[in-house]
Amino acid sequence: SQIEQGNLEDRLALQHALNQLEDKTREIIESVFLHQESRQQVAQRIGLSPVTVTRRIKKGIEELTGLLQQSSVSFSMEG
């Protein structure tokens, strides 16, 4: 269906954007948002302070937002 196609495109765009982030930032975002780990757990596991983890999340989300806005423009131009 068209809705499923849109969801697939969204997921592919998100995965593509995640892959463009710095490795540690991507790992933090995936751990917190996809695997439901707490920021404290992630910080302990990768050896950063919780404050640094929070900063990385904020920076990563800003980067993802910009990347996804760019990709939505290219998707709409293709369609």
Side-chain angles (χ1 to χ4, degrees), residues 13-64:
L14 177 58
Q15 190 60 56
H16 180 70
L18 279 167
N19 288 338
Q20 293 182 63
L21 296 180
E22 194 266 328
D23 287 347
K24 190 81 74 177
T25 301
R26 183 181 70 241
E27 179 185 356
I28 289 168
I29 288 176
E30 288 178 346
S31 295
V32 171
F33 293 103
L34 299 179
H35 305 297
Q36 316 299 285
E37 286 185 64
S38 73
R39 293 172 188 201
Q40 184 75 37
Q41 288 171 314
V42 175
Q44 288 176 340
R45 183 167 51 77
I46 62 177
L48 296 174
S49 76
V51 171
T52 301
V53 166
T54 297
R55 283 192 196 121
R56 290 269 189 135
I57 289 171
K58 184 175 189 297
K59 178 179 168 243
I61 289 173
E62 287 170 0
E63 288 180 39
L64 282 174

